């Protein structure tokens, strides 16, 4: 082909020589050629031009795993990656595809085969799965690449043109296509240069003639073909066998489903028959109840009622035979169905029952017994399964819960029942209900072992069949009536209670029926359940204080005896319910100042025969009823009684006409009176309490007053005026029970502190004397500082426990409660909280603070 015409050369610029223009053009062409990566050679040798390309992609970098040695495992070095090899070939201008073809050809020659034979046999060295290099070449991983669904408008069209879609064709389609074309290639096994023969029998022009006798030598090709055919048809046979087995399993599964469907269908037919019979029995039962409820049917006669119960029993028995034992259990036959069938009869009996208003507790108990016990026994005459007691208990439970319990609850919830005015009627009805519930409950052997009802936090619903009783009727009555109805109403009445004129007769001081102990104490034995009593007691204490305040305002200064009598009658019934210290605190806050003023008006008579002992008797009886503490008694005696007594005795001895015999009698009678129980009083002491005369006689300060009286008498006998002057008692206006009470409280506190210090000192001396050998654990280890503090608190009867919540730690240390004092340990030092600060303290001071 003729060479293409070259472009015309540019004319030289004027003023420059022609050769200079030629040199410049040659130099420009040479520079451009070098810049394009071409190499030139001149002379006699052949000119060779190698075209170099720039880098078309980024160099792959493979990071070697940490601590992986060279040549270990299947790790491919960076220089051996195909991508990097291709980049290197592009830089050098080498055709990488041509180089790979040559390497593959050499490998086939080395292994004894060629590409044509491999292509003819259909053997490929490539995997059917795409390689990593192929996936990388597609660029699907790159944003905007061939595999990305999100690409720009300009680059997306070009990538779609370049992208080649892989089409998957099954081998069945290939075989069918070849069969349709009527051509199938086979392998000529006569040599490596054999050509493909068609099935039509046309001989290839370049094929060698057949061997002698027309036989083809057997070789590896024949073995390959036989193995291929054998494996192919073996796979077909195996697939057919699996298909047959799968169909057989499906057939068996269908047969099983058909059998199950037929059984279910038969079961449904049986249930339909049973339900039809049940509906028939229900219709007859309904007609029976309708006949009994007719106005002209004389439903109130006993004969009519007995006849209805007998017919209902026969229908219930017929209905029970219609079900099996398991069906009865699932249907709750005796606990739900039988009580529902007997409901009209029970309602007809209970229609005129009005507890707490019309009927008494005895009448209510008889009616409840006839419903729960008699009706159940008449209706279930022939129980099923040999569990007579079980079925009867279940029906009794159902009748009681369905008919008795709701009416009782409505009676207590009614506004007609007042816990204050009608406390006796409410308690009598509740006791009757408890007796009926106990009679209708199963024996102990059938009930679950439940020793303490307080521990039963979650009650299970009643499962009424067999001997599985989850909740007996007594517990049901306590929960549904006492805890849910009576207790809230009683508690509300107590919280709203205000003492008024109905509390007592002001003229006589006699307590009326509205006093709290008259209507609240009878409920306490039953309220000691599920923490109801502990909930009521704080309100009781508050109301007792209010009552004493009301009594103090009601009775004026001249009615002190009526006040003390009424207060004693109010507080005495609570002695066995409330703590002694609580009662003494209540009475001290309300009665002690009034007692002090009452005793301050005592008149000491010159003759003991004329002495009025009523004040002393009232004081002693209040104390002996447990309503006055020993300290308060001693303070009143010392400040309001013995002080004027000593002053009167001194005046008798200082008079000129003193009679020592009368003075001795005066002294002896007063001492015997104060050291002995009261002779007579309207405030009778309880017979079960011990008199406190021995307590008064053992008080050193009171005994010191009588010893001073003996000293004054002795000084007069000896005519020692100076000794009598030294024993002059203080003036009555200088001393009273309040100052004495303050002094005695301080002395008691000092004695307690001294005793505590002595006990703590003894404990510390024991610890220091024994050293580290005094406390040891059971495992042989030395006790910790916390264990020492715990043992100290236990020995001194002080509560010691860790605190929880927001203030449970201090600087990362656990805070403990030591008798109400917050403490924590740091380096075997106890830190106690005082106000808002923490101070180190000793065990002695800590014990005193805990007991103060």
């Amino acid at each position: 082909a003729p060479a293409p015409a070259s472009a015309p050369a540019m004319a030289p610029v004027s003023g420059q020589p022609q050769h200079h223009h030629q040199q410049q053009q040659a130099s420009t062409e040479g520079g451009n050629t070098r810049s394009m990566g071409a190499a030139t050679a001149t002379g006699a040798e052949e000119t060779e031009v190698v075209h170099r390309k720039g880098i078309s992609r980024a160099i792959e970098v493979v990071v070697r795993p940490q601590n992986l040695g060279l040549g270990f495992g299947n790790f491919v070095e960076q220089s051996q990656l195909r991508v990097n090899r291709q980049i290197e070939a592009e830089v050098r201008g080498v055709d990488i595809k041509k180089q790979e073809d040559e390497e593959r050809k050499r490998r086939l020659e080395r292994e004894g085969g060629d590409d044509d034979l491999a292509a003819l046999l259909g053997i490929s060295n490539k995997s059917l799965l795409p390689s990593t290099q192929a996936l990388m070449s597609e660029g699907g991983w790159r944003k905007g690449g061939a595999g990305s669904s999100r690409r720009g408008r300009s680059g997306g069209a070009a990538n779609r043109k370049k992208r080649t879609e892989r089409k998957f064709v099954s081998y069945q389609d290939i075989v069918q296509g070849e069969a349709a074309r009527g051509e199938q290639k086979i392998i000529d096994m006569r040599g490596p240069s054999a050509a493909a023969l068609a099935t039509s029998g046309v001989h290839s022009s370049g094929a060698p003639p057949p061997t002698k006798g027309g036989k083809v030598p057997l070789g590896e090709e024949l073995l390959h073909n036989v193995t291929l055919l054998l494996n192919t048809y073996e796979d077909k046979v195996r697939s057919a066998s699996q298909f047959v087995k799968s169909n057989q399993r499906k057939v068996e599964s269908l047969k099983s489903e058909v059998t199950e469907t037929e059984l279910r269908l038969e079961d449904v037919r049986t249930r339909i028959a049973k339900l039809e019979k049940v509906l028939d029995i229900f219709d007859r039962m309904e007609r029976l109840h309708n006949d009994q409820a007719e106005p002209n049917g004389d439903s109130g006669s006993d004969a009519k009622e007995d006849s209805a119960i007998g017919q209902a029993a026969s229908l219930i028995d017929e209905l029970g035979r219609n079900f099996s034992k398991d069906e009865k259990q699932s249907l709750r036959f005796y606990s739900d169905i039988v009580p529902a069938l007997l409901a009209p009869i029970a309602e007809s009996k209970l229609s005129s029952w009005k507890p707490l208003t019309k009927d008494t507790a005895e009448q209510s108990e008889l009616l409840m017994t006839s419903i729960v016990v008699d009706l159940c026994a008449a209706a279930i005459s022939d129980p099923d399964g040999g569990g007579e007691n079980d079925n009867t208990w279940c029906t009794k439970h159902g009748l009681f819960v369905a008919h008795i319990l709701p009416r009782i609850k409505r009676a207590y919830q009614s506004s007609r029942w007042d816990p204050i005015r009608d406390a006796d009627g409410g308690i009598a009805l509740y006791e009757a209900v408890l007796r009926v519930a106990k009679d209708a409950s199963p024996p102990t052997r059938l009930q679950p072992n439940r020793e303490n009802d307080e521990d039963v936090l979650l009650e299970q619903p009643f499962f009424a069949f067999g001997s599985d009783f989850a909740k007996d009727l007594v517990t049901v009555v306590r929960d549904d009536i006492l805890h849910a109805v009576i207790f809230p109403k009683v508690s509300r009445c107590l919280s709203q209670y205000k003492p008024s004129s109905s509390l007592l007769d002001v003229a006589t001081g006699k307590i009326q029926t509205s006093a709290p102990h008259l209507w609240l104490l009878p409920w306490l034995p039953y309220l000691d359940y599920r923490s109801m009593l502990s909930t009521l007691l704080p309100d009781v204490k508050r109301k007792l204080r209010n009552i004493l305040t009301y009594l103090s305002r009601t009775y004026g200064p001249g009615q002190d005896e009526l006040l003390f009598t009424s207060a004693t009658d109010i507080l005495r019934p609570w002695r066995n319910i409330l703590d002694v210290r609580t009662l003494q605190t209540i009475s001290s806050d309300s009665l002690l100042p009034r007692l002090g003023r009452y005793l301050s008006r005592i008149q000491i008579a010159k003759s003991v025969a004329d002495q009025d002992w009523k004040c002393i008797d009232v004081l002693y009886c209040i104390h002996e009823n447990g309503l006055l503490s020993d300290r308060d008694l001693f303070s009143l005696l010392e400040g309001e009684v013995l002080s004027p007594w000593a002053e009167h005795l001194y005046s008798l001895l200082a008079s000129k006409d003193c009679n020592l015999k009368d003075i001795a009698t005066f002294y002896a009678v007063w001492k015997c009176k104060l050291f002995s129980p009261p002779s007579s009083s309207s405030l009778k002491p309880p017979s079960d309490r011990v008199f406190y005369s021995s307590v008064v006689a053992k008080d050193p300060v009171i005994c010191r007053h009588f010893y001073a009286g003996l000293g004054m008498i002795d000084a007069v006998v000896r005519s020692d005026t100076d000794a009598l002057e030294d024993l002059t008692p203080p003036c009555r206006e200088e001393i009273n029970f309040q100052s004495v009470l303050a002094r005695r409280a301080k002395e008691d506190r000092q004695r307690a502190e001294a005793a505590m210090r002595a006990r703590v000192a003894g404990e510390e001396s024991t610890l220091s004397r024994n050293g580290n050998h005094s406390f040891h654990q059971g495992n042989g280890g030395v006790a910790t500082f916390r264990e020492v503090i715990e043992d100290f608190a236990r020995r001194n009867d002080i509560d010691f426990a860790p605190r929880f919540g927001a203030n449970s730690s201090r600087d990362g240390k656990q805070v403990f409660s030591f008798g109400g004092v917050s403490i924590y340990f740091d380096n075997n030092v106890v830190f106690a909280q005082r106000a808002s600060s923490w101070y180190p303290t000793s065990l002695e001071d800590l014990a005193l603070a805990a007991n103060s």
Side-chain angles (χ1 to χ4, degrees), residues 31 55 107 176 183 200 203 216 246 259 268 278 322 328 418 421 467 480 485 528 584 652 663 687 714 736 750 759 772:
I55 297 177
R107 186 172 64 254
Q176 291 176 2
E183 183 178 356
S200 60
H203 192 273
V216 179
S246 176
T259 304
V268 169
V278 168
N322 192 37
K328 291 179 182 179
D418 188 358
R421 297 195 309 267
S467 59
D480 295 351
V485 179
D528 191 12
Q584 292 176 355
L652 290 178
I663 293 175
S687 59
D714 182 66
N736 55 22
Q750 291 176 352
R759 185 163 49 184
N772 293 332

Short mmCIF file of all heavy atoms in Angstrom, two decimals, residues 31 55 107 176 183 200 203 216 246 259 268 278 322 328 418 421 467 480 485 528 584 652 663 687 714 736 750 759 772:
data_model
loop_
_atom_site.label_atom_id
_atom_site.label_comp_id
_atom_site.label_asym_id
_atom_site.label_seq_id
_atom_site.Cartn_x
_atom_site.Cartn_y
_atom_site.Cartn_z
N GLY A 31 12.76 15.54 20.50
CA GLY A 31 12.25 15.76 21.86
C GLY A 31 10.88 15.21 22.06
O GLY A 31 10.56 14.63 23.08
N ILE A 55 1.40 4.45 33.91
CA ILE A 55 0.75 3.56 34.89
C ILE A 55 -0.76 3.77 34.79
O ILE A 55 -1.26 4.88 34.95
CB ILE A 55 1.26 3.87 36.31
CG1 ILE A 55 2.74 3.59 36.41
CG2 ILE A 55 0.48 3.04 37.35
CD1 ILE A 55 3.35 3.94 37.74
N ARG A 107 4.13 -24.68 29.56
CA ARG A 107 3.70 -25.57 30.64
C ARG A 107 2.97 -26.80 30.10
O ARG A 107 3.15 -27.91 30.58
CB ARG A 107 2.80 -24.81 31.61
CG ARG A 107 2.42 -25.63 32.85
CD ARG A 107 1.69 -24.78 33.87
NE ARG A 107 0.41 -24.28 33.37
CZ ARG A 107 0.19 -23.04 33.00
NH1 ARG A 107 1.17 -22.13 33.08
NH2 ARG A 107 -0.99 -22.65 32.53
N GLN A 176 -29.31 -30.12 24.54
CA GLN A 176 -30.48 -29.99 23.67
C GLN A 176 -30.14 -29.20 22.41
O GLN A 176 -30.61 -29.53 21.31
CB GLN A 176 -31.59 -29.29 24.43
CG GLN A 176 -32.20 -30.15 25.55
CD GLN A 176 -33.24 -29.40 26.34
OE1 GLN A 176 -33.54 -28.24 26.02
NE2 GLN A 176 -33.78 -30.06 27.36
N GLU A 183 -25.66 -32.67 15.55
CA GLU A 183 -24.21 -32.82 15.50
C GLU A 183 -23.68 -32.99 16.90
O GLU A 183 -24.07 -32.26 17.79
CB GLU A 183 -23.59 -31.58 14.83
CG GLU A 183 -22.08 -31.69 14.67
CD GLU A 183 -21.51 -30.46 13.97
OE1 GLU A 183 -22.32 -29.60 13.56
OE2 GLU A 183 -20.30 -30.35 13.87
N SER A 200 -22.25 -38.09 11.48
CA SER A 200 -22.73 -38.57 10.18
C SER A 200 -21.80 -39.56 9.52
O SER A 200 -22.14 -40.20 8.54
CB SER A 200 -22.94 -37.36 9.25
OG SER A 200 -21.72 -36.67 9.08
N HIS A 203 -15.43 -38.77 6.99
CA HIS A 203 -14.05 -38.90 7.45
C HIS A 203 -13.32 -37.60 7.22
O HIS A 203 -13.51 -36.92 6.21
CB HIS A 203 -13.38 -40.05 6.70
CG HIS A 203 -12.05 -40.43 7.30
ND1 HIS A 203 -10.88 -39.80 6.94
CD2 HIS A 203 -11.75 -41.37 8.21
CE1 HIS A 203 -9.87 -40.36 7.62
NE2 HIS A 203 -10.38 -41.33 8.40
N VAL A 216 -9.12 -49.60 17.10
CA VAL A 216 -8.45 -48.41 17.64
C VAL A 216 -7.71 -48.80 18.91
O VAL A 216 -8.28 -49.47 19.78
CB VAL A 216 -9.47 -47.30 17.94
CG1 VAL A 216 -8.77 -46.08 18.52
CG2 VAL A 216 -10.20 -46.93 16.67
N SER A 246 -38.04 -39.57 47.85
CA SER A 246 -38.72 -38.37 48.32
C SER A 246 -40.22 -38.48 48.11
O SER A 246 -41.02 -38.13 48.99
CB SER A 246 -38.17 -37.15 47.58
OG SER A 246 -38.88 -35.98 47.93
N THR A 259 -54.75 -40.12 58.29
CA THR A 259 -55.15 -40.87 59.49
C THR A 259 -55.43 -39.93 60.66
O THR A 259 -56.44 -40.07 61.36
CB THR A 259 -54.05 -41.87 59.87
OG1 THR A 259 -53.78 -42.71 58.75
CG2 THR A 259 -54.48 -42.72 61.05
N VAL A 268 -64.09 -34.98 66.89
CA VAL A 268 -65.04 -33.87 66.77
C VAL A 268 -66.47 -34.39 66.80
O VAL A 268 -67.36 -33.80 67.43
CB VAL A 268 -64.74 -33.08 65.49
CG1 VAL A 268 -65.88 -32.10 65.19
CG2 VAL A 268 -63.43 -32.32 65.61
N VAL A 278 -75.14 -32.42 76.50
CA VAL A 278 -75.01 -31.38 77.53
C VAL A 278 -76.08 -30.31 77.33
O VAL A 278 -76.69 -29.84 78.30
CB VAL A 278 -73.59 -30.77 77.48
CG1 VAL A 278 -73.51 -29.51 78.32
CG2 VAL A 278 -72.56 -31.77 77.96
N ASN A 322 -71.27 -38.09 81.43
CA ASN A 322 -71.01 -37.76 80.03
C ASN A 322 -69.54 -37.39 79.78
O ASN A 322 -69.10 -37.40 78.63
CB ASN A 322 -71.90 -36.59 79.61
CG ASN A 322 -71.90 -36.38 78.11
OD1 ASN A 322 -71.85 -37.34 77.35
ND2 ASN A 322 -71.95 -35.13 77.70
N LYS A 328 -63.40 -33.69 83.06
CA LYS A 328 -63.93 -32.97 84.22
C LYS A 328 -62.88 -32.03 84.82
O LYS A 328 -63.17 -30.91 85.23
CB LYS A 328 -64.40 -33.95 85.28
CG LYS A 328 -65.65 -34.73 84.90
CD LYS A 328 -66.02 -35.68 86.01
CE LYS A 328 -67.24 -36.51 85.65
NZ LYS A 328 -67.60 -37.46 86.72
N ASP A 418 -71.88 0.23 111.01
CA ASP A 418 -70.91 1.16 111.59
C ASP A 418 -70.00 0.37 112.53
O ASP A 418 -70.49 -0.23 113.50
CB ASP A 418 -71.64 2.25 112.36
CG ASP A 418 -70.70 3.35 112.83
OD1 ASP A 418 -69.48 3.23 112.58
OD2 ASP A 418 -71.16 4.32 113.44
N ARG A 421 -70.60 1.64 116.34
CA ARG A 421 -71.87 1.35 117.01
C ARG A 421 -72.22 -0.13 117.00
O ARG A 421 -72.81 -0.64 117.95
CB ARG A 421 -73.00 2.14 116.35
CG ARG A 421 -72.85 3.65 116.47
CD ARG A 421 -74.16 4.32 116.13
NE ARG A 421 -74.68 3.83 114.85
CZ ARG A 421 -74.46 4.40 113.68
NH1 ARG A 421 -73.69 5.48 113.62
NH2 ARG A 421 -74.98 3.91 112.58
N SER A 467 -57.14 -33.31 94.93
CA SER A 467 -56.71 -32.86 96.25
C SER A 467 -55.76 -31.69 96.16
O SER A 467 -55.01 -31.43 97.08
CB SER A 467 -56.03 -34.01 97.00
OG SER A 467 -54.91 -34.47 96.26
N ASP A 480 -60.42 -11.67 101.45
CA ASP A 480 -61.47 -10.95 100.73
C ASP A 480 -62.40 -10.17 101.65
O ASP A 480 -63.01 -9.19 101.18
CB ASP A 480 -62.29 -11.93 99.88
CG ASP A 480 -61.48 -12.56 98.78
OD1 ASP A 480 -60.34 -12.11 98.58
OD2 ASP A 480 -61.96 -13.50 98.12
N VAL A 485 -62.09 -5.59 103.18
CA VAL A 485 -63.31 -4.83 103.49
C VAL A 485 -63.30 -4.31 104.92
O VAL A 485 -63.42 -3.10 105.16
CB VAL A 485 -64.56 -5.69 103.23
CG1 VAL A 485 -65.82 -4.90 103.56
CG2 VAL A 485 -64.59 -6.17 101.78
N ASP A 528 -54.49 -9.41 113.51
CA ASP A 528 -53.08 -9.80 113.55
C ASP A 528 -52.78 -10.72 112.37
O ASP A 528 -52.44 -11.89 112.51
CB ASP A 528 -52.78 -10.50 114.87
CG ASP A 528 -51.28 -10.67 115.08
OD1 ASP A 528 -50.51 -10.06 114.32
OD2 ASP A 528 -50.89 -11.41 116.00
N GLN A 584 -46.42 4.59 129.29
CA GLN A 584 -45.89 5.52 130.28
C GLN A 584 -45.55 6.87 129.66
O GLN A 584 -45.76 7.92 130.27
CB GLN A 584 -44.67 4.91 130.95
CG GLN A 584 -44.99 3.71 131.83
CD GLN A 584 -43.74 3.07 132.41
OE1 GLN A 584 -42.61 3.47 132.08
NE2 GLN A 584 -43.94 2.07 133.26
N LEU A 652 -43.32 20.55 163.75
CA LEU A 652 -43.81 19.88 164.95
C LEU A 652 -42.71 19.73 165.99
O LEU A 652 -42.94 19.93 167.19
CB LEU A 652 -44.40 18.52 164.59
CG LEU A 652 -45.72 18.51 163.79
CD1 LEU A 652 -46.12 17.07 163.46
CD2 LEU A 652 -46.81 19.21 164.58
N ILE A 663 -45.51 12.41 167.55
CA ILE A 663 -44.60 12.59 166.41
C ILE A 663 -44.09 11.23 165.91
O ILE A 663 -43.97 10.99 164.69
CB ILE A 663 -43.43 13.51 166.80
CG1 ILE A 663 -43.97 14.93 167.06
CG2 ILE A 663 -42.36 13.53 165.73
CD1 ILE A 663 -42.94 15.91 167.57
N SER A 687 -55.14 -7.39 139.51
CA SER A 687 -54.75 -8.50 140.39
C SER A 687 -53.52 -9.23 139.90
O SER A 687 -52.90 -9.97 140.65
CB SER A 687 -55.92 -9.49 140.51
OG SER A 687 -56.28 -9.98 139.23
N ASP A 714 -34.29 12.41 166.73
CA ASP A 714 -33.19 12.11 167.64
C ASP A 714 -32.57 13.39 168.21
O ASP A 714 -32.18 13.43 169.39
CB ASP A 714 -32.13 11.28 166.90
CG ASP A 714 -30.98 10.90 167.81
OD1 ASP A 714 -31.22 10.11 168.75
OD2 ASP A 714 -29.85 11.36 167.55
N ASN A 736 -39.97 21.35 143.60
CA ASN A 736 -41.17 20.74 143.04
C ASN A 736 -40.77 19.49 142.24
O ASN A 736 -39.59 19.17 142.09
CB ASN A 736 -41.96 21.73 142.18
CG ASN A 736 -41.11 22.34 141.08
OD1 ASN A 736 -40.08 21.78 140.68
ND2 ASN A 736 -41.51 23.51 140.61
N GLN A 750 -26.08 9.82 134.06
CA GLN A 750 -24.69 9.72 134.51
C GLN A 750 -24.36 8.31 134.97
O GLN A 750 -23.27 7.80 134.70
CB GLN A 750 -24.43 10.72 135.64
CG GLN A 750 -24.45 12.18 135.17
CD GLN A 750 -24.29 13.15 136.33
OE1 GLN A 750 -24.32 12.75 137.50
NE2 GLN A 750 -24.14 14.44 136.00
N ARG A 759 -17.94 -0.88 131.45
CA ARG A 759 -18.04 -2.07 130.62
C ARG A 759 -17.10 -1.97 129.42
O ARG A 759 -16.43 -2.94 129.04
CB ARG A 759 -19.47 -2.24 130.16
CG ARG A 759 -19.72 -3.52 129.38
CD ARG A 759 -21.19 -3.85 129.31
NE ARG A 759 -21.98 -2.69 128.89
CZ ARG A 759 -23.30 -2.69 128.83
NH1 ARG A 759 -23.98 -3.77 129.18
NH2 ARG A 759 -23.95 -1.61 128.45
N ASN A 772 -3.67 -10.22 120.05
CA ASN A 772 -4.28 -10.71 118.82
C ASN A 772 -4.88 -12.09 118.99
O ASN A 772 -5.37 -12.66 118.03
CB ASN A 772 -3.24 -10.76 117.69
CG ASN A 772 -2.78 -9.39 117.28
OD1 ASN A 772 -3.53 -8.43 117.40
ND2 ASN A 772 -1.55 -9.30 116.80
#
